[in-house]
Amino acid sequence: MSANLSATFYLISGILFILALRGLSSPETSRQGNYFGIAGMVIAIAVTFLAIGNFGLGFIVVLIFLLVGGSIGAFIAFRIPMTAMPELVAGFHSLVGLAAVFVAIAAFLKPEAFNLGIVGNIKLASLIEMSLGAAIGAITFSGSIIAFLKLRGIMSGAPITFKGQHILNLFLGILILVLIFYLCKTQMSNIFWAIVIISFLVGVLLIIPIGGADMPVVISMLNSYSGWAAAGIGFTLENTALIITGALVGSSGAILSYIMCKGMNRSFFNVILGGWGASEQNSTSTSKEQKPVKNGNADDAAFLMKNASSVIIVPGYGMAVAQAQHALREMVDALKKNGVKVSYAIHPVAGRMPGHMNVLLAEANVPYDEVFELEEINNDFSNCDVAYVIGANDVTNPVAKSDPQSPIYGMPVLDVEKSKSVLFVKRSLSPGYAGIDNDLFYRDNTLMLFADAKKMTEEIVKSL
Amino acid sequence: MSANLSATFYLISGILFILALRGLSSPETSRQGNYFGIAGMVIAIAVTFLAIGNFGLGFIVVLIFLLVGGSIGAFIAFRIPMTAMPELVAGFHSLVGLAAVFVAIAAFLKPEAFNLGIVGNIKLASLIEMSLGAAIGAITFSGSIIAFLKLRGIMSGAPITFKGQHILNLFLGILILVLIFYLCKTQMSNIFWAIVIISFLVGVLLIIPIGGADMPVVISMLNSYSGWAAAGIGFTLENTALIITGALVGSSGAILSYIMCKGMNRSFFNVILGGWGASEQNSTSTSKEQKPVKNGNADDAAFLMKNASSVIIVPGYGMAVAQAQHALREMVDALKKNGVKVSYAIHPVAGRMPGHMNVLLAEANVPYDEVFELEEINNDFSNCDVAYVIGANDVTNPVAKSDPQSPIYGMPVLDVEKSKSVLFVKRSLSPGYAGIDNDLFYRDNTLMLFADAKKMTEEIVKSL
Amino acid sequence: MIIGSVSEDIKVEKRVALTPEILKKYKTLGLKICISKGYASHIGFSDSEYQNEGVEVLNNKEEVILKSNILIQMGIPSNDDLKLLKENQTLIGVLNPYNNEEKLKNLISKKVNCFSLDLLPRITRAQSMDILSSQANLAGYKAVVDSFSIFEKAIPMMMTAAGTISAAKVLVVGAGVAGLQAIATAKRMGAIVYATDVRMASKEQVESLGGKFLTVEGADNLETEGGYAKEASIEFKKKQEDLLKETLKKIDVIICTALIPGKKAPVIIKKDMIEEMQSGSIIYDLAASQGGNAEFTKPNEVVDYNGVKIVGEKNILNKLPVSSSNLYSKNVFNFINNLYDKEKKQIDLNFEDEIIDKTNVRFNGN
Amino acid sequence: MIIGSVSEDIKVEKRVALTPEILKKYKTLGLKICISKGYASHIGFSDSEYQNEGVEVLNNKEEVILKSNILIQMGIPSNDDLKLLKENQTLIGVLNPYNNEEKLKNLISKKVNCFSLDLLPRITRAQSMDILSSQANLAGYKAVVDSFSIFEKAIPMMMTAAGTISAAKVLVVGAGVAGLQAIATAKRMGAIVYATDVRMASKEQVESLGGKFLTVEGADNLETEGGYAKEASIEFKKKQEDLLKETLKKIDVIICTALIPGKKAPVIIKKDMIEEMQSGSIIYDLAASQGGNAEFTKPNEVVDYNGVKIVGEKNILNKLPVSSSNLYSKNVFNFINNLYDKEKKQIDLNFEDEIIDKTNVRFNGN
Amino acid sequence: MEIDPFIFRISIFILSIFVGYYVVWSVTPSLHTPLMSVTNAISSVIIVGAIIAALAGSDNEIFQISSIFGFLAIILAAINIFGGFLVTQRMLQMYKKKKK
Amino acid sequence: MEIDPFIFRISIFILSIFVGYYVVWSVTPSLHTPLMSVTNAISSVIIVGAIIAALAGSDNEIFQISSIFGFLAIILAAINIFGGFLVTQRMLQMYKKKKK
Ligand SMILES: NC(=O)c1ccc[n+]([C@@H]2O[C@H](COP(=O)([O-])OP(=O)(O)OC[C@H]3O[C@@H](n4cnc5c(N)ncnc54)[C@H](OP(=O)(O)O)[C@@H]3O)[C@@H](O)[C@H]2O)c1
Ligand SMILES: NC(=O)c1ccc[n+]([C@@H]2O[C@H](COP(=O)([O-])OP(=O)(O)OC[C@H]3O[C@@H](n4cnc5c(N)ncnc54)[C@H](OP(=O)(O)O)[C@@H]3O)[C@@H](O)[C@H]2O)c1
Ligand SMILES: NC(=O)c1ccc[n+]([C@@H]2O[C@H](COP(=O)([O-])OP(=O)(O)OC[C@H]3O[C@@H](n4cnc5c(N)ncnc54)[C@H](O)[C@@H]3O)[C@@H](O)[C@H]2O)c1
Ligand SMILES: NC(=O)c1ccc[n+]([C@@H]2O[C@H](COP(=O)([O-])OP(=O)(O)OC[C@H]3O[C@@H](n4cnc5c(N)ncnc54)[C@H](O)[C@@H]3O)[C@@H](O)[C@H]2O)c1
């Protein structure tokens, strides 16, 4: 295959990758996007084989390796439970990082194969590129491993910080640059190895100070790193597909982590430089947030509800305080437009006066036939996809069913926990009228939406 | 200046153009975007001079021409009234198109200067590129001229259609391609000229069947053409800046016209292929839509109101029919958050029963102290930026003040027309209870928002 | 020119034609005003409130009538009072010419100008004088408040620890001005509101207030050009009956407002329908003075039929005298404002003006 | 076991302890029911409605009292009826032990189990039996509906061709259960609602219903642990007075609901404040039976003071007997459900249960 | 293994198309007119070609026919550049939020 | 006048960064996890380098040290490719709207 032809195909594969990411922008096109990605990958691999044009023993061995790796990957993909997704992605990242390191090593050991000069006299630019690629790859690898361990729970999720951490990281970073400089000057392989090893260390150091809650951001950041590593290697190999993809993945990953930080209301730099801000926060919040809660935003809520077939709204005193009834009505209207079945479940003592919720819902013109009392609707929770609990607390507290010591024992409660997912809109984890904690906040199928009920509902309307 | 260096600078200038367009994505960064554009342009021009490296007589002459053109441009830019913006842009497009044609001609006449071979033996690729560039440039030029004339009112805005138009266009298009093919084969200059002339004709034919209302879309499409022409020339000149910018402008223009069509609820292809659909529509709608109205969408309304310092809401029967009171309240809340002063003006007979509006606004929890009766608020319209008339009609009709023949003569009306802009939300141009037309719809400071009052208001909330 | 107004017979009419609110406006027209003693004290407006605005309070009705050029009243004055009126004086009020033909003919023969505001054309320009609208509106409101106060159950839905009270169902018969306001008020209180009317346009209007319209299928649009209702066909009435009979089983409160101008009110709620209703339900009949929309309606009485209370209210606005007087005085003022020629300082009997022409009481074309 | 209930003295009490709605629930508990003839016919529930659900309708009260194991009533029965009660019978109702000490001591000495539902502790589990809440809630609603019906102006804002009626201003004194419902109801009707209370928590609650809270500055939180109010300090009272006096000038309707358990109701609306109010205003005093929150309140009378009507309603729920009886019967049922041991088929006097312990009437610790 | 620069140019071309596509999607509709005018201004980079054409050959050739086309193109493009950017500037000025 | 291909590559690199930037902004937040997993899968195009490394030199050299690194890289990347795309597919399956 001529160089021009293969370059063209690599370009096509790069474009397919762009289309893949583009497809992911909406649920409707997302699967198509994935197919684009697969097509791009197939083309890239096929073109590589054709360009090398060697279909002898080596080719067969490569194929075998490919299949072995592929089977392992497929096996993992099918077996992994959906809940383990974040750690899986982290694990996969580590592989890409390591692969980048290996390719860089191979290129360093045998530059002729890549047209980069000969051992001991590798082209300057290529040397820089490959050592950068190796370094970033190594950081990605070890960083992802740490992230994986933290998410898997093998390592504690708590941030590990020590004095001088940032100075050490800075020092190591500079050291790597200095080493690259010397590598270029001397072409000594020991320096190359040193770079790789130090980079592994940096990866570890970068991730350990970051807390478990920030892991999604970190994963996305590592994703970005792996992209830059690929781009570096791409420059070494003068391969357009690698450059395009690397830059694409690199920048998209970085932006994604930025977007995620914004969504979680965290400072990007605090997260990425792990531990900068952590030290101050720790002291105050550790004792309270013992039990982990899942924290969502309006988009998550909108997504969940849009794709539900039935939603039950559970209003409480917080809805009244926030005067969220009108926004709530709007949200329900929007959901109904999406074909979702929505009903309201009114607990007999929700709010602070008998019929409190009824007054407000009537004000917002909610039709009476969508409003159900506890006894009418309590059985429906088990068939419903999402319970949207807005400013209610005590009236959902399952402790009333289980703990005779509890002050609310014996009160009938709404069985919201039986629905597939529960969204709790409230401002904090603080208790309601009865002053007792609600176990539901910490359940697996609960997503907490911490915000004023009206604001959150309005935002959900926007996202719908 | 070395080729590499200048290529790098061209790249930088391309990137600055990207940043320029990016800046335009929000009002805050828009001016900054414009500066990026200017910077990119300065770099591109400077680099070209440096790359040629000839600072003799030619340079001075070029500078003079540059300044002459620049002064003309600046003069036009300062003198043109803001309302003439669309035709101005159309006019400018024609210049770019013509410039592209000229450059292509120059390259054709003196290929050596551009490294494209010699006269009579121009490189094949370059020849294709330059003739495509010239053709597209010529289409842009004559098309823009027609658009300009239509917008300026020199030519009638009505679509000019004749039988076989599309077939003629198709034929001419194919003809151009065939001629390019022969040009490549024979390198005869006559063919080149023929291509240019036929392209001029095509430009005219493409635009005359398009009606005045669709002109914005056409302008954006011509913008896109001029981009493609520039890209074509870029390939000829092997100039990255031109390629990047051309592609950028080409695709962004095309997308923009698509977006605009969507916003106006028109089919993209109908507009672009001008007159395809027109023939059917014409018969029904001409007589009614004699007087032109300005037609806006939710985004325009949101933009206007967000940037207003005071807004007066004028509700009428349509608000009640649409049950838009809750959405309206939300909109007002959002505006108030933006620091806009909002009040409601209630006409004594708005709606269909005394106090109709009051009931609904109270239902939506609008505080009484934001609600004013006609006499209290009528003088405030002249100091207000936007009057948002939602489903009201008769109660704003100025004919009640002027025409003793009118059935509503003598009724006090709200002087909404005195505010800087008036937004009318209603579903059509049909009259209200009194059955008479409302002159305000056709005023210059009126923007009609044709939609159900509730839907429109909800969309505005989203855009705020 | 002097405007006068004398006390009404407060046993039948508590509203007055002049409330303190409006006095300033008369002043700006340059008109003087006199009233009789204790004119509106029964509704809380003391004579001094009037005097503060420059009104002359005279000791007895005669003085007022003799002194004033224009006499404005709510209802037609007593015979004694009418006797005192003489040539070129003007009487404005709700004179009800069909019922008071005798008295009025008498006055006209004395060349007293009589304007009856119930004759006002329903044109846009006359809206601000439209007493039918202003009073019907309040009547619709009050009918709901009153019937809810009589009703022995709570109206809105309340889900409480002691069980659920379901929302009351209200039916409004006739969705004119009074009916629409009744719908709005009942809706506000949290009732589920149904309405029925013969005019098609009212469907959208009812829905614009959140009410449910009971559409009689296959109904023609029984609307006159003036916006009033025509009498319904027998076939229509049959269909309406069937529909209502079904609906009434679950209705708790009925507000009747259906009228046909110049005719007896249509009887819409028949005996057999009332028998289907739950004990404890209320029928509040605002059409009582025109005969009533329900079969057993008796003006100014509460009839109990099988536990269903049928309230026939003849002049409900006596229960809301302050608000209704305020609006009425404003209507009258707007009327005078149109009638009075500020230049010539006298009233201008311009019969080209539809408003003046139509409200002027004449019989047999004189 | 047999549950019985006899007619109340319908001159003072129209509510009943058993409505047809609840009968099914008693059946599922396996309890028999008997009532006296014409038990609830005054509020539209005929004897046959009861019989249809298997209730035995006996000819006179004596039979019922002698036959039943548990007698459920609204108020305490007459002395004649009480005489018939004997050992091991149970009496449940709102017995008002402080006022009826004599009668109850007598019963207790006869080993009759007396449970007075007004003693119910305000714990979460008891909410479904909480008659104070269920009845106060309806009282708050009715007070508003009633006072609006008396009020001579329209409540909601109406901008009409004949001028604007401005929205009425309502003040709710005491934002407990009744007060909150009053706020909600007045708000619904379109009034501008103010409220005042001594408990700080009520501010948020008032606002959650769209009311405006009049905060007495520098006020302590006068809330007991049970959620009730304490008596206010003199300083607080002074500040509250000043604030109210200013506010009252523009208030049209006042709904009084402030109570302090076991004490006379605080007098909050003083003479000098009432003098500031506009003629035609209404003070509706739900605290009348405990002495009233306004200075001139007289139970079951309408006092007119300078044109301000002060309505002292002692038992407002007699005006809403159906809804209130329904909720009361549900409360009583829930109470019996807790008291009755389904296995042993008898009541279970488990004094470990706070609800049973606190409601059981004993004097001096017996 | 040398790759034809044309391939690179095509790559650049295509990537720029993507960028153009995305950039515009994120523009608020109210800025569409300024956007058009700025893209119009930008598209006059064609002036680069015009300059090259005008200065092709030595100084004494500048009034050759091909150069003249170059000069004409320069004027046209220059009008556009100045006019385009300035007009955009003016338009954007209007969009500035009023101070309150 | 030959331009160093490196410049072109840099251009491509930068333009791709822009594309990446814009593509992600338009992704709905609920698709962030699949997005991460698909970018992860895509970033394994590094396999191209791995294959080149593995097949560098003639067939009898395939078990040289440098080739072995290549082979290892192939396995790692292959795991990633298959795993990544399949897992994305599974996730997206969840996002499919239920039929009603
Ligand atoms: N209905 C009655 O008659 C009556 C009378 C008296 C007492 N109660 C008691 O009141 C309780 C009612 O239960 P409930 O579930 O309705 O209320 P709840 O248990 O008191 O819970 C209300 C929750 O709303 C949240 N909230 C408050 N303001 C909010 C805002 N602006 N935006 C979002 N969330 C807000 C609070 O959490 P954050 O602070 O974290 O936001 C709080 O946990 C029961 O315990 C009942 O016994 C009822
Ligand atoms: N207040 C009273 O007591 C009373 C009583 C009787 C009559 N009137 C008369 O009613 C009129 C009141 O004036 P007005 O300005 O309130 O109403 P109007 O003049 O009747 O105009 C209402 C406008 O709302 C539009 N509309 C209807 N449904 C809509 C929807 N779903 N979404 C958006 N727009 C909708 C209609 O235009 P499209 O069809 O184009 O959407 C119509 O032009 C006066 O002429 C008055 O004299 C008043
Ligand atoms: N143009 C204006 O300025 C103006 C002002 C006020 C009212 N109006 C219009 O005048 C019309 C009449 O209003 P009104 O309140 O004075 O009417 P009304 O008091 O004469 O009658 C009340 C309602 O009863 C209805 N009705 C009559 N027979 C019926 C039957 N058999 N069954 C059911 N309903 C029956 C009528 O259609 C009317 O809606 C309305 O359309 C109103 O909008 C116009
Ligand atoms: N936990 C439960 O299940 C439950 C059930 C019902 C009510 N509650 C609570 O019980 C509390 C009391 O309710 P209630 O309606 O029975 O009270 P109540 O009838 O005893 O008193 C009515 C209101 O008057 C107020 N008040 C007393 N003195 C006052 C003064 N000087 N000025 C102004 N206001 C004064 C009180 O604070 C109270 O809010 C409330 O907090 C209510 O939320 C709790």
Side-chain angles (χ1 to χ4, degrees), chain A residues 53-62, chain F residues 55 59 62:
Chain A
N54 171 350
F55 295 101
L57 175 61
F59 173 66
I60 293 171
V61 178
V62 168
Chain F
L55 295 185
D59 271 0
I62 53 169

Side-chain angles (χ1 to χ4, degrees), chain B residues 382-398:
Chain B
S382 46
N383 299 323
C384 111
D385 296 309
V386 180
Y388 185 75
V389 183
I390 171 168
N393 184 350
D394 296 346
V395 298
T396 65
N397 199 336

Side-chain angles (χ1 to χ4, degrees), chain B residues 346 348 354-355 358 365 368 372-373, chain D residues 157 159-160 164 167 187 190 192:
Chain B
I346 310 293
N358 297 116
N365 249 334
Y368 283 136
F372 298 94
E373 46 179 345
Chain D
M157 174 188 262
M159 289 174 169
T160 78
T164 297
K187 191 84 214 319
I192 302 173

Side-chain angles (χ1 to χ4, degrees), chain B residues 352 433, chain C residues 122-124 127 130 133 173-178 196-199 205 223 226-229 232 240 257-261 266 268:
Chain B
R352 291 288 182 275
Y433 185 84
Chain C
R122 279 238 163 127
I123 58 176
T124 306
Q127 279 174 335
D130 186 355
S133 284
V173 177
V177 176
T196 178
D197 199 312
V198 292
R199 294 176 302 112
Q205 293 168 9
E223 180 160 350
Y228 288 105
Q240 194 187 32
T257 75
L259 292 177
I260 301 165
I268 296 168

Side-chain angles (χ1 to χ4, degrees), chain C residues 263-305:
Chain C
K263 298 224 168 113
K264 213 180 143 299
V267 177
I268 296 168
I269 312 295
K270 304 276 169 62
K271 176 161 175 276
D272 54 338
M273 297 183 197
I274 299 176
E275 275 162 0
E276 295 271 357
M277 291 180 74
Q278 297 160 32
S279 148
S281 305
I282 310 259
I283 300 177
Y284 202 100
D285 200 339
L286 278 183
S289 58
Q290 254 96 302
N293 290 148
E295 186 135 3
F296 305 106
T297 302
K298 286 196 189 133
N300 285 342
E301 267 183 48
V302 179
V303 178
D304 190 315
Y305 187 87

Side-chain angles (χ1 to χ4, degrees), chain C residues 27-306:
Chain C
K27 256 194 223 164
T28 59
L29 276 191
L31 297 174
K32 294 224 172 62
I33 300 180
C34 59
I35 55 173
S36 58
K37 214 169 121 185
Y39 176 69
S41 52
H42 62 291
I43 54 173
F45 298 133
S46 64
D47 286 350
S48 59
E49 265 181 85
Y50 286 88
Q51 280 163 330
N52 290 344
E53 292 289 339
V55 171
E56 197 175 348
V57 179
L58 300 174
N59 273 327
N60 54 41
K61 291 202 206 173
E62 289 77 49
E63 282 181 56
V64 174
I65 296 175
L66 292 173
K67 190 164 189 178
S68 41
N69 305 91
I70 304 178
L71 188 66
I72 56 179
Q73 293 298 128
M74 182 68 227
I76 197 163
S78 68
N79 281 332
D80 295 346
D81 296 341
L82 288 181
K83 272 188 206 130
L84 301 168
L85 284 170
K86 47 186 192 306
E87 194 170 333
N88 275 334
Q89 277 189 309
T90 303
L91 173 65
I92 300 175
V94 183
L95 306 179
N96 214 337
Y98 302 107
N99 297 340
N100 300 318
E101 198 169 330
E102 216 45 54
K103 293 184 185 174
L104 287 170
K105 276 194 172 152
N106 219 330
L107 284 178
I108 294 170
S109 62
K110 287 203 280 178
K111 298 240 161 122
V112 174
N113 300 314
C114 298
F115 291 98
S116 181
L117 295 179
D118 48 353
L119 300 177
L120 205 78
R122 279 238 163 127
I123 58 176
T124 306
R125 194 160 56 85
Q127 279 174 335
S128 60
M129 321 162 191
D130 186 355
I131 58 140
L132 289 183
S133 284
S134 72
Q135 305 297 301
N137 176 39
L138 290 175
Y141 159 79
K142 191 64 180 176
V144 171
V145 172
D146 239 34
S147 55
F148 284 5
S149 145
I150 300 169
F151 191 49
E152 297 194 333
K153 295 184 203 164
I155 298 293
M157 176 189 259
M158 297 181 187
M159 289 173 169
T160 77
T164 296
I165 295 176
S166 48
K169 298 199 171 68
V170 173
L171 171 70
V172 175
V173 177
V177 176
L180 288 177
Q181 188 60 262
I183 294 168
T185 310
K187 193 82 215 316
R188 274 189 138 140
M189 283 298 291
I192 301 173
V193 186
Y194 300 84
T196 178
D197 199 312
V198 292
R199 294 176 302 112
M200 276 298 125
S202 60
K203 178 173 193 296
E204 195 189 51
Q205 293 168 9
V206 167
E207 283 164 1
S208 85
L209 287 162
K212 294 181 184 143
F213 192 77
L214 300 175
T215 315
V216 178
E217 269 176 61
D220 302 332
N221 185 9
L222 299 168
E223 180 160 350
T224 66
E225 271 188 21
Y228 288 105
K230 286 189 276 201
E231 216 178 328
S233 67
I234 297 177
E235 190 199 5
F236 176 90
K237 283 185 183 160
K238 177 83 192 74
K239 279 189 188 155
Q240 194 187 32
E241 257 170 53
D242 293 347
L243 178 65
L244 283 182
K245 206 163 165 181
E246 212 26 58
T247 315
L248 283 188
K249 287 180 191 160
K250 49 179 188 186
I251 295 291
D252 296 297
V253 176
I254 303 180
I255 310 285
C256 299
T257 75
L259 292 177
I260 301 165
K263 298 224 168 113
K264 213 180 143 299
V267 177
I268 296 168
I269 312 295
K270 304 276 169 62
K271 176 161 175 276
D272 54 338
M273 297 183 197
I274 299 176
E275 275 162 0
E276 295 271 357
M277 291 180 74
Q278 297 160 32
S279 148
S281 305
I282 310 259
I283 300 177
Y284 202 100
D285 200 339
L286 278 183
S289 58
Q290 254 96 302
N293 290 148
E295 186 135 3
F296 305 106
T297 302
K298 286 196 189 133
N300 285 342
E301 267 183 48
V302 179
V303 178
D304 190 315
Y305 187 87
N306 276 348

Side-chain angles (χ1 to χ4, degrees), chain B residues 346-349 353-356 358-359 362 365 368-369 371-374 376, chain D residues 155-164 167-168 187 189-192 210 212:
Chain B
I346 310 293
H347 189 278
V349 300
M353 88 177 185
H356 202 159
N358 297 116
V359 183
N365 249 334
Y368 283 136
D369 52 14
V371 179
F372 298 94
E373 46 179 345
L374 181 131
E376 293 170 325
Chain D
I155 297 293
M157 174 188 262
M158 295 182 189
M159 289 174 169
T160 78
T164 297
K187 191 84 214 319
M189 282 300 289
I192 302 173
K212 294 182 184 143

